[in-house]
Amino acid sequence: MIQHPDKNFIDPIQVRIHNQPTYCALVEEETDGKPWFHDINEYLVKGEYPEHANHTQKCTLQRLSKHFFHSGGNLYKRTPDLGLLRCVDAKEASKLLEDVYAGTYGPYMNGLS
């Protein structure tokens, strides 16, 4: 318990409880038909920048690409704790979310798992 400077108690926080649980499993579709990691992938494979990129965007692409690598035909991102995240497009991400929530890969765990 934290002692408030003016009072000996903390005012309660109002919490609303909803009758139905809410789930968010929406992955936005790509507007141009290319996955979100397309430019990073092209830079890693060909060493070329997108034709519309300005200097700032080129520098950002260089910086971002240092955290990605190819292995077995897939693009992966390294995390600070040395974990690997596979890059997927919107269609595959939606399928994975459906499978995880359906329990295909075992019991659903918390976000840290």
Side-chain angles (χ1 to χ4, degrees):
M1 179 158 196
I2 302 171
Q3 188 170 7
H4 192 274
D6 299 331
K7 304 175 185 175
N8 288 334
F9 62 92
I10 296 176
D11 295 329
I13 298 173
Q14 297 296 325
V15 177
R16 294 186 310 186
I17 299 175
H18 297 280
N19 294 334
Q20 295 179 333
T22 304
Y23 299 98
C24 181
L26 173 70
V27 178
E28 294 182 18
E29 291 291 330
E30 292 90 7
T31 55
D32 58 358
K34 299 175 184 173
W36 64 269
F37 55 88
H38 175 75
D39 293 335
I40 297 170
N41 193 27
E42 290 294 309
Y43 179 74
L44 288 174
V45 172
K46 299 178 183 177
E48 298 175 356
Y49 298 104
E51 59 186 41
H52 60 278
N54 60 28
H55 177 72
T56 305
Q57 291 169 334
K58 290 178 181 179
C59 291
T60 302
L61 188 59
Q62 282 180 344
R63 182 176 43 82
L64 285 174
S65 66
K66 293 177 183 177
H67 302 286
F68 291 84
F69 71 96
H70 282 277
S71 178
N74 294 319
L75 185 65
Y76 292 91
K77 181 181 180 185
R78 293 180 196 94
T79 61
D81 62 350
L82 301 178
L84 298 176
L85 302 173
R86 186 165 62 98
C87 301
V88 296
D89 60 2
K91 184 176 180 181
E92 190 174 358
S94 294
K95 176 71 173 128
L96 287 170
L97 279 173
E98 289 173 12
D99 290 346
V100 166
Y101 280 109
T104 305
Y105 301 112
Y108 176 69
M109 301 296 187
N110 65 17
L112 298 176
S113 297

